Amino acid sequence: MTDPIASTALRATRLGRRFRSGWALRDCDFDLPAGRITALVGPNGAGKSTLFHLATGLLRPTTGEISVFGADPVTAEARDRTAFLAQDKPLYPRFTVDETLRFGRELNRDWDQATAERIVRAGNISLDARVGTLSPGQCTRISLALAFGKRPGLLLLDEPLADLDPLVRIEAMGLVMAEVAERGITVVLSSHVLSELENVCDHVLLLKHGGVRLQGDAQQLCDDHLLLTGRADGSRENGLPPGLDGATVVESTVTGRQVTALLRTDGHPVGASADDRWVTEIPSLEDLLLAYLRSAPAGTATTEAAA
Amino acid sequence: MKGALWLAWRQQRTLILVGAVVLVACAAWVAFQRADMTAFISDHRIPHCAGWDADECSGLDIEQAQRLLDDNVGALRALGTLSAALPVLIGVFWGAPLLGRELESGTWKLALTQGVSIRRWFATRFTLAAVCAVVGSTVLAALVAWWWSPISNMLNGLYWHDGYIFNATGPAAIACALFGLAAGTAAGLLLRRTLAAMGAVLAFVVGVRILLNTFRSDWISPIALTSRGSAPRPYIGTGWSTGEFGFIDATGHKDAIADACPWGPGLPDLKTCMAQKGYVGRYQKVYPSSDFWVLQWIETAVFLGLAAALIALICVVLRRRAVL
Amino acid sequence: MIVFRIDRRSGVATYLQLAHQVRQALRLGVLESGDRLPTAREVVAATAINPNTVLRAYRELEREGLVEPRPGQGTFVRRSLSRPAAAADSPLRAEFTDWVARARDAGLEREDIAALTDAALDERFPAPPPSHRSPQSMEEDT
């Protein structure tokens, strides 16, 4: 592997996928850096799962292309380097845990049995247990053991924590982070629970209506935005103070006399108009993502109904 | 076993073992029954009297021969039914879940995101199933033929053109098993639900079978057995009568009896009619028993053609990843 | 060994929380010179946070000269922050405890005392602690 920081793990160019019901993804361009943990965020039907399926070669794009470390996802090269945890975490219910690990060993050229077994044992799961008898949390652990046993360069996790209880959520995410710490794996993680992403992800890809709405380094994105709160300026339609020309209003809400707005400033000062009646804060990642999820797509963003 | 083959074996081993046990049981039962039968034949010196009128039939003890048939035909019919139904069973219980269950439970996503290609994954599991289907159907077809051969086409027993025999043995039975597997696999892939695929493949394979049974004789022409003058009509022996018989005039032209000399009150009797119309002989159209192989190979080709088309369809769908 | 605890609602950047907890442990004598800090792997396994956050916190502490990375071995504490003067039986502490008791006798509430100490601290240590989400007016921002 080349310098993991400098290279791109997942790259999409004009990527689109149409189903019978319409476009699930359209004209998506993004580069996800290697060695990072990317949050894939978006409302239901935004195309998150479609994106995962395209990245693993389970689906082929209708337009454009997607590459994993520069290789087409259906090539052996890309398959060997990618591990995927689908949303429903499919496993063979009639296999024993031992057989499930053997499945990984038989179907992968480069298999790390020691790591896979260590992950299973750390969860106090017997190798002789039938997978069908395990709890959802234990199944997640088995799925992660399969994923890490593959020695992936890129780990794709589609809603990995859904349907897990809070303790197991921390345990599962801790397990992922520990392996990532050891091996510098690139992770793309989708979740509905934004607060869960805040401490985990350092990169963001936000999809909405099948298009890319926001992408970039999480800290940089927070620094590029301002959360503005104050008394609504009655003389102006949106209630915001004048002199915000350098900034884009992502979202603004007027509640009674109060107006709250998220501005994209890209580091530019927001001008002299502001006075101490306005409070500005750097938004948390959760604030930022919520604002983008709620806001209407601006300008050029695609507005087609997504599948 | 290694790689994708291990996975295919692990997922199909229950079916393979159950199938093997059933086959071994069938084979043991047939061996026992047939030993009984051949002992009875030699004890009572029953000749192999094909049809009703072969030369061997002259010294036949009809009572013992009837007992021989009564003792065996029922069980042989049951085995024939099993062998004829095998393609449907394979399609429903082996073909339909082969991809259908993977798609239904999502495990195809697990399998296809490991190191093996979709082609290899499908090829190994389908090949294993196909080999088992061919072996299984061959064994059953051979058992049917083996048991039937000493009493084949005999008296009022089972004839080569009976469904219990024709559908249960020969190359067509084996080809049909492959067709059943391919149909079940395609149904599972297209419907993505095991149960729906099972229903669909049941209807489809049975439908094709009925169609082929209905038009079985239409592929080739029967031969005409002729007799001169008012000599007795020729024996049809082990042939399969088409039900068409009639008269031949001096030019060799054939008239079916219904058109030439119909029966009925006030009409001339047969001899008078023949004399009046100048018929010089009689004929009867039958398929001789040698046509068994011609018809078998035709249906074999049909089943293999259908199977090939279905496999091609599966490959196209998988290749385009149009499974989600 | 130190156990980290992440307060997800505090609004304080996670790496600052980690660095702060190490400093506190040094001050309390929980960590001493020569101790090994938990590896990033150990920390994230327990807290489920991004490993880069841990590395960032350790870099911050390294920059402050409190810890040093030893290749292949881990990150080790270079010097302790525990001051004899802050120990439970030190004269300074006794004096301060006396002062708090007097303030309370004078009718001050807990909040009043805290505000007083904060003010006195601000006077002597002008730089405010860095805070991720501290509200700031626009004049300061521009």
Side-chain angles (χ1 to χ4, degrees):
Chain A
M1 215 197 293
T2 51
D3 177 14
I5 302 302
S7 65
T8 297
L10 195 63
R11 166 170 293 163
T13 323
R14 313 292 293 163
L15 181 68
R17 171 70 207 200
R18 189 175 51 200
F19 291 107
R20 248 170 265 163
S21 49
W23 289 90
L25 278 181
R26 193 158 200 187
D27 280 343
C28 289
D29 288 290
F30 57 81
D31 283 340
L32 300 187
R36 305 285 292 273
I37 301 175
T38 298
L40 179 59
V41 185
N44 281 331
K48 301 191 297 289
S49 289
T50 302
L51 180 56
F52 281 129
H53 289 137
L54 288 166
T56 46
L58 294 173
L59 264 182
R60 301 300 286 150
T62 311
T63 62
E65 47 193 51
I66 184 165
S67 62
V68 176
F69 297 111
D72 187 321
V74 294
T75 58
E77 187 191 348
R79 256 197 329 266
D80 284 346
R81 298 182 70 176
T82 314
F84 174 46
L85 220 72
Q87 192 167 355
D88 41 1
K89 289 171 210 135
L91 289 169
Y92 301 103
R94 279 147 74 177
F95 283 26
T96 63
V97 173
D98 195 33
E99 284 170 331
T100 305
L101 296 189
R102 177 161 183 198
F103 158 83
R105 192 163 74 235
E106 296 287 353
L107 270 68
N108 289 290
R109 257 167 290 233
D110 185 19
W111 174 255
D112 184 348
Q113 179 76 10
T115 295
E117 277 189 29
R118 176 168 50 72
I119 293 173
V120 168
R121 285 186 206 287
N124 287 320
I125 304 169
S126 158
L127 286 176
D128 299 324
R130 285 227 178 255
V131 169
T133 64
L134 300 179
S135 69
Q138 289 174 317
C139 285
T140 302
R141 186 170 276 276
I142 304 291
S143 298
L144 287 171
L146 268 184
F148 285 115
K150 203 169 183 276
R151 295 188 218 264
L154 173 65
L155 175 61
L156 305 170
L157 305 170
D158 194 357
E159 295 280 354
L161 303 180
D163 77 356
L164 297 183
D165 66 60
L167 272 179
V168 181
R169 294 168 94 97
I170 296 240
E171 185 190 309
M173 196 46 82
L175 162 61
V176 172
M177 290 304 124
E179 296 302 322
V180 168
E182 194 154 285
R183 311 191 205 177
I185 297 170
T186 307
V187 179
V188 183
L189 165 77
S190 77
S191 176
H192 276 110
V193 188
L194 297 180
S195 57
E196 242 155 28
L197 300 172
E198 178 116 42
N199 279 310
V200 167
C201 298
D202 49 23
H203 199 86
V204 170
L205 179 65
L206 191 146
L207 296 179
K208 204 172 168 187
H209 301 308
V212 175
R213 189 82 173 82
L214 184 70
Q215 61 172 319
D217 178 86
Q219 190 58 51
Q220 189 61 49
L221 283 174
C222 289
D223 291 346
D224 284 349
H225 289 77
L226 273 185
L227 203 55
L228 184 72
T229 314
R231 187 185 165 117
D233 186 337
S235 65
R236 296 170 62 86
E237 200 188 336
N238 60 6
L240 293 174
L244 299 177
D245 304 336
T248 318
V249 179
V250 176
E251 185 204 32
S252 83
T253 334
V254 181
T255 317
R257 291 194 192 89
Q258 179 185 282
V259 63
T260 314
L262 185 85
L263 308 177
R264 177 160 199 150
T265 60
D266 287 327
H268 299 301
V270 283
S273 68
D275 53 46
D276 56 10
R277 288 177 303 158
W278 293 92
V279 176
T280 61
E281 295 171 75
I282 299 208
S284 70
L285 187 60
E286 189 178 353
D287 292 335
L288 184 77
L289 296 177
L290 274 174
Y292 273 91
L293 287 173
R294 277 193 300 253
S295 68
T300 55
T302 49
T303 52
E304 283 82 3
Chain B
M1 248 173 287
K2 287 263 143 230
L5 184 61
W6 173 81
L7 177 64
W9 155 252
R10 175 61 190 83
Q11 290 193 283
Q12 297 176 37
R13 68 180 187 191
T14 311
L15 279 170
I16 293 173
L17 293 177
V18 168
V21 166
V22 170
L23 276 186
V24 167
C26 278
W29 179 63
V30 169
F32 179 75
Q33 294 285 327
R34 192 180 184 278
D36 249 14
M37 182 178 83
T38 49
F40 187 88
I41 289 173
S42 59
D43 285 355
H44 296 87
R45 296 205 196 81
I46 301 171
H48 185 205
C49 162
W52 290 89
D53 36 29
D55 295 341
E56 296 85 8
C57 299
S58 49
L60 188 69
D61 178 345
I62 195 82
E63 207 169 300
Q64 294 301 335
Q66 201 56 58
R67 222 186 111 196
L68 167 71
L69 292 177
D70 289 349
D71 283 351
N72 286 282
V73 164
L76 190 48
R77 273 202 186 117
L79 185 71
T81 305
L82 176 64
S83 181
L86 188 66
V88 179
L89 295 176
I90 287 175
V92 168
F93 293 108
W94 210 317
L98 196 65
L99 296 178
R101 183 166 296 148
E102 296 282 315
L103 293 171
E104 195 171 3
S105 65
T107 42
W108 69 284
K109 293 182 192 173
L110 186 68
L112 293 181
T113 48
Q114 308 301 316
V116 295
S117 65
I118 191 167
R119 178 192 306 203
R120 195 179 164 79
W121 173 75
F122 172 70
T124 37
R125 62 178 36 229
F126 188 80
T127 305
L128 180 63
V131 166
C132 294
V134 167
V135 169
S137 58
T138 304
V139 168
L140 262 189
L143 285 177
V144 169
W146 186 51
W147 191 358
W148 176 64
S149 61
I151 53 167
S152 59
N153 307 321
M154 188 168 164
L155 303 177
N156 62 344
L158 289 170
Y159 280 71
W160 60 271
H161 51 81
D162 282 325
Y164 296 109
I165 299 301
F166 192 93
N167 290 334
T169 188
I174 299 160
C176 189
L178 264 184
F179 159 70
L181 178 69
T185 309
L189 175 65
L190 298 178
L191 299 174
R192 301 173 210 177
R193 290 280 177 277
T194 311
L195 213 59
M198 285 176 160
V201 71
L202 178 72
F204 185 51
V205 176
V206 169
V208 169
R209 253 280 155 77
I210 289 175
L211 221 62
L212 282 174
N213 282 357
T214 309
F215 299 108
R216 174 155 298 153
S217 58
D218 294 359
W219 300 103
I220 55 173
S221 307
I223 58 162
L225 300 176
T226 57
S227 56
R228 299 199 63 79
S230 58
R233 276 200 308 230
Y235 297 127
I236 65 168
T238 59
W240 180 18
S241 172
T242 61
E244 183 192 342
F245 54 97
F247 305 101
I248 309 171
D249 64 16
T251 63
H253 182 78
K254 296 188 179 74
D255 281 325
I257 191 163
D259 312 324
C261 288
W263 298 92
L267 293 171
D269 70 5
L270 206 59
K271 236 175 199 164
T272 319
C273 175
M274 276 183 75
Q276 278 172 357
K277 299 208 172 174
Y279 289 129
V280 300
R282 298 200 281 180
Y283 77 94
Q284 180 168 13
K285 289 201 167 169
V286 299
Y287 294 97
S289 57
S290 57
D291 279 353
F292 173 81
W293 290 104
V294 180
L295 296 173
Q296 275 279 331
W297 288 119
I298 288 170
E299 294 197 7
T300 302
V302 171
F303 283 131
L304 288 182
L306 284 173
L310 287 165
I311 293 169
L313 172 73
I314 292 166
C315 289
V316 168
V317 171
L318 287 179
R319 198 178 165 72
R320 294 176 57 198
R321 304 290 199 279
V323 273
L324 265 182
Chain C
M1 191 61 92
I2 175 172
V3 176
F4 291 106
R5 200 184 57 79
I6 310 298
D7 183 353
R8 285 161 211 275
R9 309 213 160 270
S10 69
V12 177
T14 311
Y15 83 98
L16 292 176
Q17 292 188 35
L18 297 179
H20 174 71
Q21 285 171 32
V22 170
R23 270 187 231 107
Q24 199 166 45
L26 290 171
R27 239 175 249 123
L28 294 170
V30 172
L31 283 177
E32 288 179 359
S33 183
D35 283 355
R36 187 177 66 84
L37 290 182
T39 62
R41 184 195 162 92
E42 287 161 349
V43 176
V44 301
T47 56
I49 61 171
N50 191 313
N52 289 328
T53 309
V54 183
L55 299 179
R56 192 172 171 195
Y58 285 8
R59 270 202 304 277
E60 184 76 18
L61 293 165
E62 188 191 337
R63 206 174 47 77
E64 292 169 16
L66 296 176
V67 303
E68 62 176 355
R70 291 184 204 154
Q73 294 180 61
T75 306
F76 290 83
V77 176
R78 279 183 67 185
R79 60 186 176 85
S80 169
L81 281 180
S82 72
R83 309 244 197 292
D89 53 353
S90 74
L92 266 178
R93 182 165 175 150
E95 249 178 78
F96 190 57
T97 315
D98 279 351
W99 179 85
V100 171
R102 282 208 310 281
R104 195 175 141 204
D105 291 345
L108 293 188
E109 298 282 337
R110 185 192 178 95
E111 286 76 18
D112 301 324
I113 298 173
L116 264 178
T117 35
D118 276 352
L121 284 172
D122 284 351
E123 212 168 282
R124 290 291 169 188
F125 305 96
S131 161
H132 183 53
R133 277 190 70 182
S134 63
Q136 44 190 177
S137 79
M138 266 193 197
E139 284 84 354
E140 282 170 357
D141 198 46
T142 51

